[in-house]
Amino acid sequence: MASKPLNNIWIRRQQCPCGDWKCYIRLDGDESTTTTYNNATKSEIEPSTTPSPSPSSSSPLFTPYVGQIFRTDDEAFEYYTAFARRNGFSIRKARSTESQNLGVYRRDFVCYRSGFNQPRKKANVEHPRERKSVRCGCDAKLYLSKEIVAANGATQWYVSQFSNVHNHVLLEDEHVRLLPAYRKIQQCDQERILLLSKAGFPVNRIVKLLELERGGGGVELPFIEKDVRNFVRACKKSVQESDALLNERRESDLMELLESCKVFVGERGDVGFVYEFTSDESGRVESLAWAYGECVQGYSVFGDVVVFDTSYRSVTYGLILGVFFGMDGNGNAVLLGCVLLQDESCRSFAWALQTFVRFMRGGHPQTIVTDIDRGLKDAVETELPNTNHVVFMWHVVSKLGSWFSQALGSHYDEFRAGFEMLCRAGSVEEFEQQWDLLISRFGLVPDRHAALLYSCRATWSPCYIRQHFLAQTMTPEFSLSIDSFLKRIVAGPSCMQALLEEVSVAASLSKQITPRVPYPSMKTCMPMEDHARAVLTPYAFSVLQNEMVLSLQYAVAEMANGPHIVHHFKKMERECCVFWNPENEEIHCSCKEFEHSGILCRHSLRVLAVKNCFHIPEQYFLVRWRQESSLVSEENQNGMGIGDDDCVQTFQSLTETLLTESMVSKDRLDYTNQELSALIDRVRNVAPANTCISHDC
């Protein structure tokens, strides 16, 4: 009988890229992921604990009273627990009463010192242990009763008896946390404790390290050394008992995932689906990569910039999830491929990049965008030597708190403001100067994280990466697009065998829920604006239109030797130098916006307007931003619906073939652009029909 597949739980990678295995990072959103992990692994990994209520809750908390109403008995227990903690004691569940009609209709909650300890039968040993009891007959209690309040059987709970009279001393806040009911080891601390224990740290050193990480003082820890010792002992016993079984089930699940790859083409009809895997000496699957037919098709158009996201790892299988993304002509993330890696080594990342290039028929991207990772950096340098490597600025900024907030304390906000100013440096020389001042000012010269940032400055600092082509992948909107795609995959527990289908569904859903962006209305009435609207996608046109509107705020001064100096009429910002060659219609700006995003900057547009240019040169409309770059048929600009007619399908097939063949070499691409420009001009001279396209082509 086949065993039930394991629940596959994804969490964000927490290992710091600085190389110190004891250092870890905590990003925004980790708490929700940890909660998912805690709930889903309750029956498979280890017993989870319920978090104790915080005494600092901002919600009002009053003394319970007879007649107080609660929706459920659990709600009443949480309320009474919070009240007890604020008042220096804890509670426990006593007896409950049930009937055949109402089920459980009475719950008794009492003080933890209620009643008296019942004498136990002494063990047959020479010197039995005499355990003292904390119970002293305290009469503090809260009794609940259930009643039916509606004809449809709806019920509620009310307080039938309440007493807050104690016969013992109530504890202060610094002592009440030590009661067993409130000593809970949360999931984030559990992972840290197990990691340190596995590395050979004794329990007392683990506790000291956790205290230091929280700023010192054991009062910050919601547990004591005894709890850590019991937790480590229980985990070791649990692991020894179930590790062999879990390993066997993991291997079985990965083999079934591999079998799913083999039959995916037949079941889904995706003849372009490709996959590769590696295995160890015993034949166990180590790493697996795959790409759908649409991925290869999308890469032929939008493969100039590739984002390789490795944010998530599987708790259940210990695998890293890597997803390759591109940006389409409408600014949305498109899936290009997926990979599961056994570790974060340079060798694993190198295999992932090699396999991805093979899937994409040997094509190397101009730029690849990743997280900060030494192994990944070395792999990119080895496997993609001619590709520009860039690190997402979001990945840098999100780690600053974990790296520097504890060391800088109250000065962290000041450091963060200085770092943001550093990112606005206009030149490499200015960046180097401001970096030295910033690091010296806050005493971070010996800090390993500051050294890591500086060593990778050429991959994340805006003044360094300005010359690299990135389309619009560094915008917050694109980051959200990637994040929403990933969350559709890792949102909840699922079996590994369903991963192929989940990723495919997420990619299809991403296309379905992406709103169709309408063209913005004309804002400048410039002929260049009308020209761009007829060529670019709505997204690219909106970006260019914004630059066109801002260009009206700039003044142009033509120098004697040819270049034009462009500056804002009011703001004290850096001047830009624009070179315009009217003979071959070439324009270059010192801000390098076109080289960076593929869309002309406001400075270049201002010079074109001053030079009485009524159209934008064709070479400044990149293929990826043109309307014809879309491989999905949509409604045309006149609002006519184009259905799944044979004529449209034939045209789409020819377009896909043309794009694929054109991207083989630069000569082919230049020839195709030249011929298509002439063809588009001829098509525009054909009078549009007022009827939809028919089947008779």
mmCIF file of all heavy atoms in Angstrom, residues 7 21 116 138 141 157 161 230 248 367 388 405 409 412 486 511 517 538 578 659:
data_model
loop_
_atom_site.group_PDB
_atom_site.id
_atom_site.type_symbol
_atom_site.label_atom_id
_atom_site.label_comp_id
_atom_site.label_asym_id
_atom_site.label_seq_id
_atom_site.Cartn_x
_atom_site.Cartn_y
_atom_site.Cartn_z
ATOM 1 N N ASN A 7 3.515 16.474 3.341
ATOM 2 C CA ASN A 7 3.159 17.859 3.070
ATOM 3 C C ASN A 7 4.432 18.663 2.819
ATOM 4 O O ASN A 7 5.342 18.657 3.641
ATOM 5 C CB ASN A 7 2.396 18.469 4.248
ATOM 6 C CG ASN A 7 0.927 18.121 4.206
ATOM 7 O OD1 ASN A 7 0.407 17.718 3.162
ATOM 8 N ND2 ASN A 7 0.264 18.260 5.329
ATOM 9 N N TRP A 21 27.866 30.596 9.290
ATOM 10 C CA TRP A 21 26.698 29.725 9.419
ATOM 11 C C TRP A 21 25.857 30.066 10.649
ATOM 12 O O TRP A 21 24.684 29.706 10.721
ATOM 13 C CB TRP A 21 27.126 28.254 9.480
ATOM 14 C CG TRP A 21 27.922 27.891 10.694
ATOM 15 C CD1 TRP A 21 29.270 27.927 10.833
ATOM 16 C CD2 TRP A 21 27.412 27.446 11.952
ATOM 17 N NE1 TRP A 21 29.643 27.542 12.087
ATOM 18 C CE2 TRP A 21 28.517 27.236 12.801
ATOM 19 C CE3 TRP A 21 26.134 27.214 12.447
ATOM 20 C CZ2 TRP A 21 28.382 26.794 14.109
ATOM 21 C CZ3 TRP A 21 25.996 26.777 13.750
ATOM 22 C CH2 TRP A 21 27.106 26.568 14.562
ATOM 23 N N PHE A 116 -5.713 20.238 45.218
ATOM 24 C CA PHE A 116 -4.570 19.710 45.962
ATOM 25 C C PHE A 116 -4.000 18.523 45.199
ATOM 26 O O PHE A 116 -4.715 17.814 44.471
ATOM 27 C CB PHE A 116 -4.982 19.284 47.376
ATOM 28 C CG PHE A 116 -5.453 20.427 48.226
ATOM 29 C CD1 PHE A 116 -6.811 20.725 48.316
ATOM 30 C CD2 PHE A 116 -4.543 21.210 48.917
ATOM 31 C CE1 PHE A 116 -7.244 21.782 49.101
ATOM 32 C CE2 PHE A 116 -4.980 22.265 49.704
ATOM 33 C CZ PHE A 116 -6.334 22.567 49.790
ATOM 34 N N CYS A 138 -6.431 26.989 45.761
ATOM 35 C CA CYS A 138 -6.903 28.324 45.360
ATOM 36 C C CYS A 138 -8.299 28.211 44.750
ATOM 37 O O CYS A 138 -8.584 27.286 43.969
ATOM 38 C CB CYS A 138 -5.931 28.956 44.373
ATOM 39 S SG CYS A 138 -6.436 30.605 43.831
ATOM 40 N N LYS A 141 -11.579 31.001 39.799
ATOM 41 C CA LYS A 141 -12.145 30.130 38.763
ATOM 42 C C LYS A 141 -13.019 30.939 37.827
ATOM 43 O O LYS A 141 -13.424 32.070 38.115
ATOM 44 C CB LYS A 141 -12.985 29.029 39.399
ATOM 45 C CG LYS A 141 -14.149 29.581 40.240
ATOM 46 C CD LYS A 141 -14.799 28.509 41.080
ATOM 47 C CE LYS A 141 -15.873 29.126 41.995
ATOM 48 N NZ LYS A 141 -16.448 28.129 42.903
ATOM 49 N N TRP A 157 -21.586 30.925 24.527
ATOM 50 C CA TRP A 157 -21.132 30.586 25.869
ATOM 51 C C TRP A 157 -21.218 31.820 26.753
ATOM 52 O O TRP A 157 -20.930 32.930 26.306
ATOM 53 C CB TRP A 157 -19.691 30.074 25.836
ATOM 54 C CG TRP A 157 -19.525 28.761 25.122
ATOM 55 C CD1 TRP A 157 -19.469 28.576 23.784
ATOM 56 C CD2 TRP A 157 -19.415 27.480 25.716
ATOM 57 N NE1 TRP A 157 -19.323 27.248 23.486
ATOM 58 C CE2 TRP A 157 -19.272 26.547 24.666
ATOM 59 C CE3 TRP A 157 -19.413 27.010 27.027
ATOM 60 C CZ2 TRP A 157 -19.136 25.179 24.885
ATOM 61 C CZ3 TRP A 157 -19.262 25.642 27.256
ATOM 62 C CH2 TRP A 157 -19.131 24.738 26.195
ATOM 63 N N GLN A 161 -20.152 31.301 36.558
ATOM 64 C CA GLN A 161 -19.548 31.577 37.868
ATOM 65 C C GLN A 161 -18.166 32.179 37.642
ATOM 66 O O GLN A 161 -17.441 31.781 36.719
ATOM 67 C CB GLN A 161 -19.415 30.293 38.700
ATOM 68 C CG GLN A 161 -20.721 29.661 39.119
ATOM 69 C CD GLN A 161 -20.491 28.470 40.035
ATOM 70 O OE1 GLN A 161 -19.756 28.560 41.023
ATOM 71 N NE2 GLN A 161 -21.145 27.348 39.712
ATOM 72 N N ASN A 230 14.821 20.194 27.487
ATOM 73 C CA ASN A 230 13.749 19.234 27.213
ATOM 74 C C ASN A 230 13.393 19.200 25.734
ATOM 75 O O ASN A 230 13.113 18.132 25.165
ATOM 76 C CB ASN A 230 12.514 19.586 28.039
ATOM 77 C CG ASN A 230 12.729 19.376 29.527
ATOM 78 O OD1 ASN A 230 13.601 18.603 29.935
ATOM 79 N ND2 ASN A 230 11.947 20.067 30.341
ATOM 80 N N GLU A 248 12.862 7.805 3.632
ATOM 81 C CA GLU A 248 12.295 6.888 2.642
ATOM 82 C C GLU A 248 11.124 7.524 1.898
ATOM 83 O O GLU A 248 11.006 7.406 0.674
ATOM 84 C CB GLU A 248 11.853 5.602 3.342
ATOM 85 C CG GLU A 248 11.263 4.558 2.397
ATOM 86 C CD GLU A 248 10.818 3.312 3.135
ATOM 87 O OE1 GLU A 248 11.149 3.176 4.339
ATOM 88 O OE2 GLU A 248 10.128 2.481 2.514
ATOM 89 N N THR A 367 21.383 40.300 -19.007
ATOM 90 C CA THR A 367 21.499 40.584 -17.575
ATOM 91 C C THR A 367 20.742 39.525 -16.797
ATOM 92 O O THR A 367 19.666 39.091 -17.212
ATOM 93 C CB THR A 367 20.925 41.971 -17.239
ATOM 94 O OG1 THR A 367 21.528 42.954 -18.074
ATOM 95 C CG2 THR A 367 21.171 42.325 -15.780
ATOM 96 N N ASN A 388 25.697 40.352 -17.581
ATOM 97 C CA ASN A 388 25.795 41.279 -16.458
ATOM 98 C C ASN A 388 25.042 40.708 -15.253
ATOM 99 O O ASN A 388 23.904 40.268 -15.387
ATOM 100 C CB ASN A 388 25.210 42.642 -16.830
ATOM 101 C CG ASN A 388 25.912 43.269 -18.017
ATOM 102 O OD1 ASN A 388 27.141 43.282 -18.081
ATOM 103 N ND2 ASN A 388 25.142 43.784 -18.965
ATOM 104 N N SER A 405 20.757 46.800 12.684
ATOM 105 C CA SER A 405 19.899 47.430 13.695
ATOM 106 C C SER A 405 20.393 47.153 15.114
ATOM 107 O O SER A 405 20.365 48.030 15.978
ATOM 108 C CB SER A 405 18.455 46.956 13.528
ATOM 109 O OG SER A 405 18.370 45.550 13.707
ATOM 110 N N GLY A 409 21.745 50.222 17.151
ATOM 111 C CA GLY A 409 20.756 50.631 18.145
ATOM 112 C C GLY A 409 19.934 51.816 17.683
ATOM 113 O O GLY A 409 19.337 51.799 16.604
ATOM 114 N N TYR A 412 20.305 53.456 14.115
ATOM 115 C CA TYR A 412 20.032 52.717 12.874
ATOM 116 C C TYR A 412 19.231 53.547 11.870
ATOM 117 O O TYR A 412 19.522 53.520 10.673
ATOM 118 C CB TYR A 412 19.290 51.414 13.191
ATOM 119 C CG TYR A 412 18.805 50.703 11.942
ATOM 120 C CD1 TYR A 412 19.699 50.083 11.090
ATOM 121 C CD2 TYR A 412 17.447 50.694 11.609
ATOM 122 C CE1 TYR A 412 19.267 49.448 9.938
ATOM 123 C CE2 TYR A 412 17.011 50.066 10.461
ATOM 124 C CZ TYR A 412 17.920 49.441 9.628
ATOM 125 O OH TYR A 412 17.492 48.834 8.490
ATOM 126 N N LEU A 486 5.023 33.757 -6.663
ATOM 127 C CA LEU A 486 5.616 32.777 -5.759
ATOM 128 C C LEU A 486 4.660 32.386 -4.641
ATOM 129 O O LEU A 486 4.602 31.221 -4.238
ATOM 130 C CB LEU A 486 6.911 33.331 -5.174
ATOM 131 C CG LEU A 486 8.079 33.496 -6.151
ATOM 132 C CD1 LEU A 486 9.237 34.217 -5.482
ATOM 133 C CD2 LEU A 486 8.539 32.146 -6.674
ATOM 134 N N LYS A 511 -1.613 34.898 -16.012
ATOM 135 C CA LYS A 511 -2.059 35.497 -17.271
ATOM 136 C C LYS A 511 -3.527 35.899 -17.193
ATOM 137 O O LYS A 511 -3.932 36.924 -17.730
ATOM 138 C CB LYS A 511 -1.857 34.502 -18.418
ATOM 139 C CG LYS A 511 -0.398 34.146 -18.673
ATOM 140 C CD LYS A 511 -0.295 33.106 -19.769
ATOM 141 C CE LYS A 511 1.149 32.682 -19.990
ATOM 142 N NZ LYS A 511 1.258 31.618 -21.021
ATOM 143 N N VAL A 517 -4.128 46.472 -19.774
ATOM 144 C CA VAL A 517 -3.802 47.875 -19.534
ATOM 145 C C VAL A 517 -4.283 48.711 -20.712
ATOM 146 O O VAL A 517 -3.857 48.484 -21.844
ATOM 147 C CB VAL A 517 -2.281 48.053 -19.339
ATOM 148 C CG1 VAL A 517 -1.948 49.507 -19.062
ATOM 149 C CG2 VAL A 517 -1.784 47.148 -18.220
ATOM 150 N N PRO A 538 0.817 49.327 -24.228
ATOM 151 C CA PRO A 538 0.302 50.332 -23.289
ATOM 152 C C PRO A 538 1.245 50.608 -22.127
ATOM 153 O O PRO A 538 1.407 51.755 -21.713
ATOM 154 C CB PRO A 538 -1.024 49.726 -22.810
ATOM 155 C CG PRO A 538 -1.446 48.819 -23.911
ATOM 156 C CD PRO A 538 -0.183 48.271 -24.497
ATOM 157 N N VAL A 578 23.635 65.457 -23.965
ATOM 158 C CA VAL A 578 22.946 64.683 -25.009
ATOM 159 C C VAL A 578 23.622 64.936 -26.352
ATOM 160 O O VAL A 578 23.832 66.098 -26.744
ATOM 161 C CB VAL A 578 21.456 65.057 -25.084
ATOM 162 C CG1 VAL A 578 20.760 64.246 -26.180
ATOM 163 C CG2 VAL A 578 20.776 64.828 -23.739
ATOM 164 N N LEU A 659 9.775 35.236 -34.935
ATOM 165 C CA LEU A 659 10.503 35.707 -33.754
ATOM 166 C C LEU A 659 11.608 34.736 -33.364
ATOM 167 O O LEU A 659 12.730 35.143 -33.038
ATOM 168 C CB LEU A 659 9.527 35.889 -32.596
ATOM 169 C CG LEU A 659 8.619 37.113 -32.665
ATOM 170 C CD1 LEU A 659 7.533 37.023 -31.613
ATOM 171 C CD2 LEU A 659 9.420 38.380 -32.473
#
